[in-house]
């Protein structure tokens, strides 16, 4: 199953979105990040996908050139003060690493992260040795949920035998070892 299909099966992940408000300034839409309070041009924040909070719920849409958003088959104009959000992008190496896991291992791993208050979207860094064609090695993934850090070492073997082993250390000193999940 590809990564997009897997993500559709997951419950909503914490910190999966960048959220903020819009203001029309000097003939351009400016996005103000709710968390960091930084400003950026709206066009720099999205590849077109956007969600706007209207009528008490998030509505998915597609940005158009003229400052309108296409929802299903209806166009709506953006308004000053609109609350919007964008799904965070996953790095290429991290996406490829997640895709390399079997379905069973992937879902177990995400469940483990969620149980320890980490989200799939908390990844700060991912080294994926599989991108270099190595059949055996260690991948390194670092997560930050703003309360603690998790360091994951993923020992893998691909080829004639297929194995995954995870050593996870939290910044609290707590350690976990999971072997042959998939």
């Amino acid at each position: 199953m590809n990564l997009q299909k897997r993500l559709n099966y997951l419950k909503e992940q914490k910190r999966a979105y960048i959220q903020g408000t819009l203001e029309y300034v000097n003939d351009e839409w400016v996005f103000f990040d709710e968390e960091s309070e930084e400003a950026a041009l709206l066009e720099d924040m999205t590849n077109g996908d956007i969600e706007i909070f209207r009528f008490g719920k998030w509505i998915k849409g597609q940005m158009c050139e003229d400052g309108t958003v296409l929802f299903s088959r209806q166009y709506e104009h953006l308004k000053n003060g609109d609350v919007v959000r964008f799904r965070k992008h996953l790095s290429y190496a991290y996406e490829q690493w997640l895709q390399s896991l079997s379905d069973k291992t992937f879902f177990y791993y995400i469940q483990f992260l969620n149980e320890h208050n980490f989200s799939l979207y908390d990844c700060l860094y991912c080294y994926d040795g599989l991108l270099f064609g190595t059949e055996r090695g260690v991948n390194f993934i670092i997560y930050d949920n703003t309360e603690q850090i998790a360091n994951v070492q993923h020992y893998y073997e691909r080829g004639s035998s297929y194995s995954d082993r995870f050593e996870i250390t939290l910044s609290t000193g707590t350690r976990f070892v999971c072997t042959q999940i998939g």
Side-chain angles (χ1 to χ4, degrees):
M1 181 182 319
N2 74 26
L3 185 58
Q4 282 309 98
K5 284 184 180 179
R6 287 177 174 179
L7 293 176
N8 289 336
Y9 284 107
L10 291 176
K11 67 181 177 87
E12 191 65 38
Q13 293 285 292
K14 293 179 182 178
R15 296 171 296 283
Y17 294 93
I18 299 169
Q19 184 175 314
T21 57
L22 295 179
E23 284 187 32
Y24 196 64
V25 180
N26 297 329
D27 297 325
E28 295 187 289
W29 285 103
V30 179
F31 171 78
F32 291 91
D33 188 315
E34 184 179 272
E35 189 175 304
S36 69
E37 299 180 3
E38 293 181 13
L41 292 177
L42 178 60
E43 63 190 42
D44 295 340
M45 294 300 297
T46 180
N47 59 358
D49 297 330
I50 188 171
E51 292 186 33
I52 300 179
F53 194 74
R54 295 230 173 122
F55 315 112
K57 62 181 178 179
W58 289 104
I59 304 171
K60 292 182 181 186
Q62 193 68 27
M63 284 290 306
C64 301
E65 296 273 330
D66 61 357
T68 60
V69 178
L70 175 61
F71 300 109
S72 242
R73 297 180 181 167
Q74 180 180 342
Y75 289 91
E76 292 278 337
H77 287 280
L78 294 172
K79 300 175 189 156
N80 273 327
D82 270 343
V83 177
V84 298
R85 70 182 186 179
F86 313 99
R87 184 171 292 279
K88 290 180 182 175
H89 296 285
L90 304 176
S91 72
Y92 178 77
Y94 187 50
E95 272 189 14
Q96 295 303 303
W97 177 73
L98 289 169
Q99 186 63 45
S100 76
L101 301 174
S102 70
D103 288 342
K104 186 177 179 181
T105 302
F106 173 83
F107 288 112
Y108 180 85
Y109 181 73
I110 299 307
Q111 179 183 347
F112 176 86
L113 285 177
N114 292 167
E115 286 172 359
H116 292 88
N117 202 30
F118 286 95
S119 163
L120 171 70
Y121 293 90
D122 289 335
C123 180
L124 291 180
Y125 177 78
C126 177
Y127 170 81
D128 181 8
L130 292 164
L131 289 175
F132 304 104
T134 58
E135 290 186 356
R136 202 173 167 189
V138 182
N139 296 317
F140 301 94
I141 304 96
I142 299 175
Y143 296 92
D144 181 353
N145 69 5
T146 70
E147 294 176 9
Q148 58 183 344
I149 306 287
N151 177 43
V152 177
Q153 294 178 44
H154 169 233
Y155 296 85
Y156 65 90
E157 193 170 321
R158 302 293 188 263
S160 59
S161 65
Y162 191 98
S163 68
D164 293 295
R165 186 173 130 228
F166 296 87
E167 291 185 11
I168 303 161
T169 306
L170 304 180
S171 55
T172 60
T174 306
R175 295 181 64 212
F176 302 93
V177 175
C178 307
T179 59
Q180 200 54 34
I181 297 169

Short mmCIF file of all heavy atoms in Angstrom, two decimals, residues 101-155:
data_model
loop_
_atom_site.label_atom_id
_atom_site.label_comp_id
_atom_site.label_asym_id
_atom_site.label_seq_id
_atom_site.Cartn_x
_atom_site.Cartn_y
_atom_site.Cartn_z
N LEU A 101 8.63 0.56 4.94
CA LEU A 101 8.15 -0.33 6.00
C LEU A 101 6.95 -1.13 5.51
O LEU A 101 6.12 -0.63 4.75
CB LEU A 101 7.74 0.48 7.24
CG LEU A 101 8.81 1.36 7.88
CD1 LEU A 101 8.21 2.20 9.00
CD2 LEU A 101 9.97 0.53 8.39
N SER A 102 6.84 -2.37 5.96
CA SER A 102 5.65 -3.17 5.62
C SER A 102 4.44 -2.49 6.25
O SER A 102 4.56 -1.69 7.20
CB SER A 102 5.80 -4.59 6.15
OG SER A 102 5.71 -4.59 7.57
N ASP A 103 3.25 -2.79 5.76
CA ASP A 103 2.03 -2.19 6.31
C ASP A 103 1.92 -2.44 7.81
O ASP A 103 1.65 -1.52 8.58
CB ASP A 103 0.78 -2.74 5.61
CG ASP A 103 0.63 -2.23 4.19
OD1 ASP A 103 1.27 -1.21 3.85
OD2 ASP A 103 -0.14 -2.84 3.43
N LYS A 104 2.15 -3.67 8.22
CA LYS A 104 2.03 -4.03 9.63
C LYS A 104 3.02 -3.23 10.48
O LYS A 104 2.66 -2.68 11.52
CB LYS A 104 2.27 -5.53 9.80
CG LYS A 104 2.04 -6.03 11.20
CD LYS A 104 2.21 -7.54 11.27
CE LYS A 104 2.01 -8.07 12.67
NZ LYS A 104 2.20 -9.52 12.73
N THR A 105 4.27 -3.15 10.02
CA THR A 105 5.29 -2.41 10.76
C THR A 105 4.96 -0.92 10.79
O THR A 105 5.07 -0.27 11.83
CB THR A 105 6.68 -2.63 10.12
OG1 THR A 105 6.96 -4.02 10.12
CG2 THR A 105 7.76 -1.88 10.87
N PHE A 106 4.53 -0.38 9.65
CA PHE A 106 4.17 1.04 9.57
C PHE A 106 3.10 1.39 10.59
O PHE A 106 3.26 2.32 11.38
CB PHE A 106 3.68 1.38 8.16
CG PHE A 106 3.13 2.77 8.02
CD1 PHE A 106 3.98 3.85 7.82
CD2 PHE A 106 1.77 3.01 8.11
CE1 PHE A 106 3.47 5.13 7.70
CE2 PHE A 106 1.25 4.29 7.99
CZ PHE A 106 2.11 5.35 7.79
N PHE A 107 1.98 0.67 10.60
CA PHE A 107 0.88 1.00 11.50
C PHE A 107 1.25 0.77 12.97
O PHE A 107 0.86 1.55 13.85
CB PHE A 107 -0.39 0.24 11.11
CG PHE A 107 -1.00 0.76 9.84
CD1 PHE A 107 -1.01 0.00 8.70
CD2 PHE A 107 -1.55 2.04 9.79
CE1 PHE A 107 -1.56 0.48 7.52
CE2 PHE A 107 -2.10 2.54 8.63
CZ PHE A 107 -2.11 1.76 7.48
N TYR A 108 2.02 -0.24 13.25
CA TYR A 108 2.47 -0.49 14.62
C TYR A 108 3.38 0.66 15.07
O TYR A 108 3.26 1.16 16.19
CB TYR A 108 3.21 -1.82 14.72
CG TYR A 108 3.71 -2.11 16.12
CD1 TYR A 108 2.87 -2.71 17.06
CD2 TYR A 108 4.99 -1.76 16.50
CE1 TYR A 108 3.31 -2.96 18.35
CE2 TYR A 108 5.44 -2.00 17.79
CZ TYR A 108 4.60 -2.60 18.71
OH TYR A 108 5.04 -2.82 19.98
N TYR A 109 4.28 1.08 14.20
CA TYR A 109 5.22 2.15 14.52
C TYR A 109 4.48 3.46 14.79
O TYR A 109 4.77 4.15 15.78
CB TYR A 109 6.22 2.31 13.37
CG TYR A 109 7.24 3.38 13.61
CD1 TYR A 109 8.28 3.18 14.51
CD2 TYR A 109 7.18 4.59 12.93
CE1 TYR A 109 9.23 4.16 14.74
CE2 TYR A 109 8.13 5.58 13.16
CZ TYR A 109 9.15 5.36 14.06
OH TYR A 109 10.07 6.34 14.28
N ILE A 110 3.53 3.82 13.95
CA ILE A 110 2.76 5.06 14.14
C ILE A 110 1.95 4.97 15.43
O ILE A 110 1.85 5.94 16.18
CB ILE A 110 1.85 5.34 12.93
CG1 ILE A 110 2.69 5.52 11.66
CG2 ILE A 110 0.98 6.58 13.17
CD1 ILE A 110 3.80 6.53 11.74
N GLN A 111 1.38 3.80 15.71
CA GLN A 111 0.63 3.61 16.96
C GLN A 111 1.56 3.83 18.16
O GLN A 111 1.19 4.49 19.13
CB GLN A 111 0.03 2.21 17.00
CG GLN A 111 -0.74 1.93 18.27
CD GLN A 111 -1.26 0.50 18.31
OE1 GLN A 111 -1.26 -0.23 17.33
NE2 GLN A 111 -1.71 0.08 19.49
N PHE A 112 2.78 3.29 18.07
CA PHE A 112 3.76 3.48 19.15
C PHE A 112 4.07 4.97 19.33
O PHE A 112 4.07 5.48 20.46
CB PHE A 112 5.05 2.71 18.84
CG PHE A 112 6.12 2.94 19.86
CD1 PHE A 112 6.17 2.17 21.01
CD2 PHE A 112 7.06 3.95 19.69
CE1 PHE A 112 7.14 2.40 21.97
CE2 PHE A 112 8.03 4.19 20.65
CZ PHE A 112 8.07 3.42 21.80
N LEU A 113 4.33 5.67 18.24
CA LEU A 113 4.60 7.12 18.33
C LEU A 113 3.44 7.84 19.01
O LEU A 113 3.65 8.64 19.92
CB LEU A 113 4.81 7.72 16.93
CG LEU A 113 6.12 7.46 16.22
CD1 LEU A 113 6.09 8.08 14.83
CD2 LEU A 113 7.31 7.98 17.01
N ASN A 114 2.22 7.58 18.55
CA ASN A 114 1.05 8.25 19.10
C ASN A 114 0.85 7.95 20.57
O ASN A 114 0.48 8.85 21.34
CB ASN A 114 -0.21 7.86 18.32
CG ASN A 114 -0.23 8.38 16.89
OD1 ASN A 114 -1.05 7.95 16.10
ND2 ASN A 114 0.66 9.27 16.52
N GLU A 115 1.11 6.72 20.99
CA GLU A 115 0.95 6.36 22.40
C GLU A 115 1.93 7.12 23.29
O GLU A 115 1.68 7.28 24.49
CB GLU A 115 1.15 4.85 22.59
CG GLU A 115 -0.01 4.03 22.10
CD GLU A 115 0.27 2.53 22.12
OE1 GLU A 115 1.40 2.11 22.49
OE2 GLU A 115 -0.64 1.77 21.75
N HIS A 116 3.04 7.58 22.72
CA HIS A 116 4.04 8.32 23.49
C HIS A 116 4.00 9.82 23.16
O HIS A 116 4.97 10.54 23.34
CB HIS A 116 5.43 7.72 23.27
CG HIS A 116 5.53 6.37 23.89
ND1 HIS A 116 5.18 5.22 23.22
CD2 HIS A 116 5.86 5.98 25.14
CE1 HIS A 116 5.33 4.18 24.01
NE2 HIS A 116 5.72 4.62 25.19
N ASN A 117 2.84 10.27 22.67
CA ASN A 117 2.55 11.67 22.39
C ASN A 117 3.41 12.26 21.27
O ASN A 117 3.69 13.45 21.26
CB ASN A 117 2.63 12.52 23.65
CG ASN A 117 1.83 13.80 23.51
OD1 ASN A 117 0.84 13.85 22.80
ND2 ASN A 117 2.28 14.85 24.17
N PHE A 118 3.84 11.43 20.33
CA PHE A 118 4.54 11.90 19.16
C PHE A 118 3.64 11.69 17.95
O PHE A 118 2.79 10.79 17.94
CB PHE A 118 5.86 11.15 18.94
CG PHE A 118 6.92 11.56 19.90
CD1 PHE A 118 7.13 10.84 21.07
CD2 PHE A 118 7.73 12.67 19.65
CE1 PHE A 118 8.10 11.22 21.97
CE2 PHE A 118 8.71 13.05 20.55
CZ PHE A 118 8.89 12.32 21.71
N SER A 119 3.82 12.53 16.98
CA SER A 119 3.06 12.45 15.75
C SER A 119 4.01 12.11 14.61
O SER A 119 5.21 12.40 14.66
CB SER A 119 2.41 13.82 15.48
OG SER A 119 1.99 13.93 14.15
N LEU A 120 3.47 11.53 13.60
CA LEU A 120 4.19 11.27 12.36
C LEU A 120 4.82 12.56 11.83
O LEU A 120 5.88 12.55 11.22
CB LEU A 120 3.17 10.71 11.36
CG LEU A 120 3.49 10.52 9.92
CD1 LEU A 120 4.48 9.38 9.80
CD2 LEU A 120 2.22 10.17 9.16
N TYR A 121 4.20 13.70 12.13
CA TYR A 121 4.64 15.00 11.62
C TYR A 121 5.62 15.71 12.54
O TYR A 121 5.97 16.85 12.29
CB TYR A 121 3.42 15.88 11.34
CG TYR A 121 2.60 15.34 10.20
CD1 TYR A 121 1.57 14.43 10.43
CD2 TYR A 121 2.89 15.69 8.89
CE1 TYR A 121 0.84 13.91 9.38
CE2 TYR A 121 2.17 15.18 7.83
CZ TYR A 121 1.15 14.29 8.09
OH TYR A 121 0.44 13.76 7.04
N ASP A 122 6.08 15.05 13.61
CA ASP A 122 7.06 15.65 14.52
C ASP A 122 8.50 15.38 14.09
O ASP A 122 9.44 15.73 14.81
CB ASP A 122 6.86 15.12 15.95
CG ASP A 122 5.59 15.63 16.59
OD1 ASP A 122 5.12 16.71 16.19
OD2 ASP A 122 5.06 14.95 17.49
N CYS A 123 8.69 14.77 12.95
CA CYS A 123 10.03 14.39 12.50
C CYS A 123 10.87 15.62 12.16
O CYS A 123 10.49 16.45 11.34
CB CYS A 123 9.94 13.48 11.27
SG CYS A 123 11.55 12.96 10.66
N LEU A 124 12.03 15.73 12.82
CA LEU A 124 12.98 16.81 12.54
C LEU A 124 14.03 16.38 11.52
O LEU A 124 14.50 17.18 10.72
CB LEU A 124 13.73 17.21 13.81
CG LEU A 124 12.96 17.92 14.90
CD1 LEU A 124 13.90 18.22 16.06
CD2 LEU A 124 12.33 19.18 14.39
N TYR A 125 14.42 15.10 11.59
CA TYR A 125 15.51 14.62 10.75
C TYR A 125 15.33 13.13 10.48
O TYR A 125 14.91 12.38 11.36
CB TYR A 125 16.85 14.83 11.46
CG TYR A 125 18.02 14.28 10.69
CD1 TYR A 125 18.54 14.96 9.60
CD2 TYR A 125 18.59 13.06 11.06
CE1 TYR A 125 19.61 14.42 8.88
CE2 TYR A 125 19.65 12.53 10.35
CZ TYR A 125 20.16 13.22 9.26
OH TYR A 125 21.20 12.70 8.55
N CYS A 126 15.66 12.73 9.26
CA CYS A 126 15.63 11.31 8.92
C CYS A 126 16.79 11.00 7.99
O CYS A 126 16.94 11.62 6.94
CB CYS A 126 14.31 10.96 8.23
SG CYS A 126 14.24 9.22 7.70
N TYR A 127 17.62 10.05 8.41
CA TYR A 127 18.65 9.49 7.54
C TYR A 127 18.14 8.12 7.10
O TYR A 127 17.86 7.26 7.94
CB TYR A 127 19.99 9.34 8.26
CG TYR A 127 20.97 8.53 7.43
CD1 TYR A 127 21.67 9.13 6.40
CD2 TYR A 127 21.13 7.17 7.66
CE1 TYR A 127 22.53 8.38 5.61
CE2 TYR A 127 21.99 6.42 6.87
CZ TYR A 127 22.68 7.03 5.85
OH TYR A 127 23.52 6.29 5.06
N ASP A 128 18.00 7.92 5.80
CA ASP A 128 17.48 6.66 5.26
C ASP A 128 18.54 6.01 4.39
O ASP A 128 18.71 6.36 3.22
CB ASP A 128 16.21 6.93 4.46
CG ASP A 128 15.59 5.68 3.87
OD1 ASP A 128 16.05 4.57 4.21
OD2 ASP A 128 14.65 5.81 3.07
N GLY A 129 19.24 5.04 4.95
CA GLY A 129 20.28 4.32 4.22
C GLY A 129 19.74 3.54 3.04
O GLY A 129 20.47 3.26 2.09
N LEU A 130 18.45 3.20 3.07
CA LEU A 130 17.85 2.47 1.97
C LEU A 130 17.87 3.28 0.67
O LEU A 130 17.87 2.71 -0.43
CB LEU A 130 16.41 2.07 2.31
CG LEU A 130 16.27 1.04 3.43
CD1 LEU A 130 14.85 1.01 3.97
CD2 LEU A 130 16.68 -0.33 2.92
N LEU A 131 17.91 4.60 0.78
CA LEU A 131 17.99 5.45 -0.41
C LEU A 131 19.29 5.22 -1.18
O LEU A 131 19.37 5.51 -2.36
CB LEU A 131 17.87 6.93 -0.03
CG LEU A 131 16.50 7.40 0.42
CD1 LEU A 131 16.57 8.85 0.87
CD2 LEU A 131 15.48 7.23 -0.69
N PHE A 132 20.30 4.70 -0.49
CA PHE A 132 21.60 4.48 -1.10
C PHE A 132 21.78 3.04 -1.55
O PHE A 132 22.88 2.62 -1.90
CB PHE A 132 22.71 4.90 -0.14
CG PHE A 132 22.57 6.32 0.31
CD1 PHE A 132 22.10 6.61 1.58
CD2 PHE A 132 22.87 7.37 -0.55
CE1 PHE A 132 21.95 7.92 2.00
CE2 PHE A 132 22.72 8.69 -0.15
CZ PHE A 132 22.26 8.96 1.13
N GLY A 133 20.70 2.27 -1.48
CA GLY A 133 20.73 0.89 -1.96
C GLY A 133 21.36 -0.11 -1.02
O GLY A 133 21.63 -1.23 -1.43
N THR A 134 21.58 0.28 0.21
CA THR A 134 22.17 -0.68 1.16
C THR A 134 21.09 -1.64 1.63
O THR A 134 19.98 -1.25 1.95
CB THR A 134 22.79 0.04 2.37
OG1 THR A 134 21.78 0.81 3.01
CG2 THR A 134 23.93 0.95 1.96
N GLU A 135 21.43 -2.91 1.64
CA GLU A 135 20.47 -3.93 2.06
C GLU A 135 20.48 -4.16 3.57
O GLU A 135 19.61 -4.82 4.11
CB GLU A 135 20.74 -5.24 1.34
CG GLU A 135 20.41 -5.18 -0.13
CD GLU A 135 20.55 -6.53 -0.81
OE1 GLU A 135 20.98 -7.50 -0.16
OE2 GLU A 135 20.24 -6.60 -2.00
N ARG A 136 21.48 -3.60 4.22
CA ARG A 136 21.64 -3.78 5.65
C ARG A 136 22.22 -2.51 6.24
O ARG A 136 23.16 -1.94 5.69
CB ARG A 136 22.59 -4.95 5.87
CG ARG A 136 22.49 -5.59 7.15
CD ARG A 136 23.35 -6.82 7.19
NE ARG A 136 23.38 -7.16 8.59
CZ ARG A 136 24.13 -8.05 9.12
NH1 ARG A 136 24.97 -8.72 8.39
NH2 ARG A 136 24.09 -8.28 10.40
N GLY A 137 21.66 -2.06 7.35
CA GLY A 137 22.20 -0.84 7.96
C GLY A 137 21.31 -0.30 9.06
O GLY A 137 20.45 -0.99 9.60
N VAL A 138 21.54 0.99 9.35
CA VAL A 138 20.80 1.67 10.41
C VAL A 138 20.30 3.00 9.86
O VAL A 138 21.05 3.75 9.24
CB VAL A 138 21.69 1.94 11.65
CG1 VAL A 138 20.87 2.61 12.75
CG2 VAL A 138 22.33 0.67 12.16
N ASN A 139 19.04 3.27 10.12
CA ASN A 139 18.46 4.58 9.81
C ASN A 139 18.31 5.35 11.12
O ASN A 139 18.09 4.74 12.17
CB ASN A 139 17.09 4.42 9.14
CG ASN A 139 17.20 3.73 7.81
OD1 ASN A 139 18.08 4.03 7.03
ND2 ASN A 139 16.32 2.78 7.55
N PHE A 140 18.39 6.68 11.04
CA PHE A 140 18.27 7.52 12.22
C PHE A 140 17.13 8.50 12.00
O PHE A 140 17.10 9.20 10.98
CB PHE A 140 19.57 8.29 12.48
CG PHE A 140 20.75 7.39 12.67
CD1 PHE A 140 21.58 7.08 11.61
CD2 PHE A 140 21.03 6.86 13.92
CE1 PHE A 140 22.67 6.24 11.78
CE2 PHE A 140 22.12 6.02 14.10
CZ PHE A 140 22.94 5.71 13.03
N ILE A 141 16.21 8.57 12.95
CA ILE A 141 15.08 9.47 12.87
C ILE A 141 14.97 10.20 14.21
O ILE A 141 15.06 9.57 15.26
CB ILE A 141 13.76 8.71 12.57
CG1 ILE A 141 13.88 7.87 11.30
CG2 ILE A 141 12.61 9.70 12.39
CD1 ILE A 141 14.23 6.46 11.53
N ILE A 142 14.79 11.52 14.14
CA ILE A 142 14.66 12.32 15.37
C ILE A 142 13.32 13.05 15.33
O ILE A 142 12.98 13.68 14.33
CB ILE A 142 15.82 13.32 15.51
CG1 ILE A 142 17.14 12.55 15.60
CG2 ILE A 142 15.62 14.21 16.74
CD1 ILE A 142 18.36 13.42 15.63
N TYR A 143 12.59 12.94 16.44
CA TYR A 143 11.29 13.59 16.58
C TYR A 143 11.33 14.60 17.72
O TYR A 143 12.03 14.39 18.72
CB TYR A 143 10.20 12.56 16.92
CG TYR A 143 9.96 11.54 15.84
CD1 TYR A 143 10.65 10.34 15.82
CD2 TYR A 143 9.03 11.78 14.83
CE1 TYR A 143 10.42 9.39 14.83
CE2 TYR A 143 8.80 10.84 13.84
CZ TYR A 143 9.49 9.66 13.85
OH TYR A 143 9.27 8.73 12.86
N ASP A 144 10.54 15.66 17.60
CA ASP A 144 10.40 16.67 18.65
C ASP A 144 8.92 17.04 18.73
O ASP A 144 8.36 17.56 17.77
CB ASP A 144 11.24 17.90 18.31
CG ASP A 144 11.17 18.99 19.37
OD1 ASP A 144 10.37 18.88 20.31
OD2 ASP A 144 11.92 19.97 19.23
N ASN A 145 8.30 16.78 19.88
CA ASN A 145 6.89 17.13 20.05
C ASN A 145 6.72 18.38 20.91
O ASN A 145 5.65 18.63 21.44
CB ASN A 145 6.09 15.95 20.62
CG ASN A 145 6.43 15.63 22.05
OD1 ASN A 145 7.21 16.32 22.70
ND2 ASN A 145 5.85 14.55 22.57
N THR A 146 7.76 19.15 21.07
CA THR A 146 7.86 20.38 21.88
C THR A 146 7.94 20.11 23.38
O THR A 146 8.23 21.02 24.14
CB THR A 146 6.74 21.42 21.60
OG1 THR A 146 5.50 20.93 22.10
CG2 THR A 146 6.64 21.77 20.12
N GLU A 147 7.68 18.88 23.81
CA GLU A 147 7.82 18.53 25.22
C GLU A 147 9.00 17.60 25.45
O GLU A 147 9.61 17.62 26.50
CB GLU A 147 6.54 17.87 25.73
CG GLU A 147 5.35 18.82 25.74
CD GLU A 147 4.07 18.13 26.15
OE1 GLU A 147 4.10 16.96 26.59
OE2 GLU A 147 3.01 18.77 26.02
N GLN A 148 9.29 16.77 24.47
CA GLN A 148 10.42 15.86 24.57
C GLN A 148 10.91 15.48 23.18
O GLN A 148 10.22 15.69 22.19
CB GLN A 148 10.10 14.63 25.42
CG GLN A 148 8.96 13.79 24.96
CD GLN A 148 8.69 12.64 25.91
OE1 GLN A 148 9.52 12.29 26.75
NE2 GLN A 148 7.54 12.02 25.79
N ILE A 149 12.09 14.89 23.15
CA ILE A 149 12.73 14.44 21.91
C ILE A 149 12.74 12.92 21.91
O ILE A 149 12.89 12.30 22.97
CB ILE A 149 14.20 14.95 21.84
CG1 ILE A 149 14.28 16.46 22.01
CG2 ILE A 149 14.89 14.48 20.56
CD1 ILE A 149 13.80 17.27 20.86
N ALA A 150 12.59 12.34 20.73
CA ALA A 150 12.74 10.89 20.58
C ALA A 150 13.80 10.63 19.51
O ALA A 150 13.76 11.23 18.43
CB ALA A 150 11.42 10.24 20.17
N ASN A 151 14.74 9.76 19.84
CA ASN A 151 15.76 9.34 18.89
C ASN A 151 15.47 7.88 18.52
O ASN A 151 15.39 7.03 19.40
CB ASN A 151 17.15 9.46 19.51
CG ASN A 151 18.21 8.97 18.58
OD1 ASN A 151 18.21 9.25 17.39
ND2 ASN A 151 19.14 8.19 19.11
N VAL A 152 15.29 7.62 17.24
CA VAL A 152 14.96 6.28 16.77
C VAL A 152 16.12 5.76 15.93
O VAL A 152 16.58 6.45 15.01
CB VAL A 152 13.66 6.27 15.93
CG1 VAL A 152 13.37 4.87 15.39
CG2 VAL A 152 12.49 6.81 16.74
N GLN A 153 16.58 4.58 16.26
CA GLN A 153 17.55 3.88 15.43
C GLN A 153 16.84 2.67 14.86
O GLN A 153 16.35 1.83 15.62
CB GLN A 153 18.77 3.47 16.25
CG GLN A 153 19.55 4.66 16.76
CD GLN A 153 20.72 4.24 17.61
OE1 GLN A 153 21.44 3.31 17.26
NE2 GLN A 153 20.89 4.91 18.73
N HIS A 154 16.75 2.63 13.56
CA HIS A 154 16.04 1.55 12.87
C HIS A 154 17.08 0.66 12.19
O HIS A 154 17.68 1.04 11.20
CB HIS A 154 15.07 2.14 11.84
CG HIS A 154 14.50 1.12 10.90
ND1 HIS A 154 14.56 1.26 9.55
CD2 HIS A 154 13.86 -0.05 11.14
CE1 HIS A 154 13.98 0.22 8.97
NE2 HIS A 154 13.55 -0.59 9.93
N TYR A 155 17.29 -0.51 12.76
CA TYR A 155 18.22 -1.49 12.18
C TYR A 155 17.42 -2.33 11.19
O TYR A 155 16.39 -2.90 11.56
CB TYR A 155 18.81 -2.38 13.27
CG TYR A 155 19.65 -1.61 14.26
CD1 TYR A 155 19.07 -0.97 15.35
CD2 TYR A 155 21.02 -1.53 14.10
CE1 TYR A 155 19.84 -0.26 16.25
CE2 TYR A 155 21.80 -0.83 15.00
CZ TYR A 155 21.20 -0.19 16.07
OH TYR A 155 21.96 0.52 16.97
#
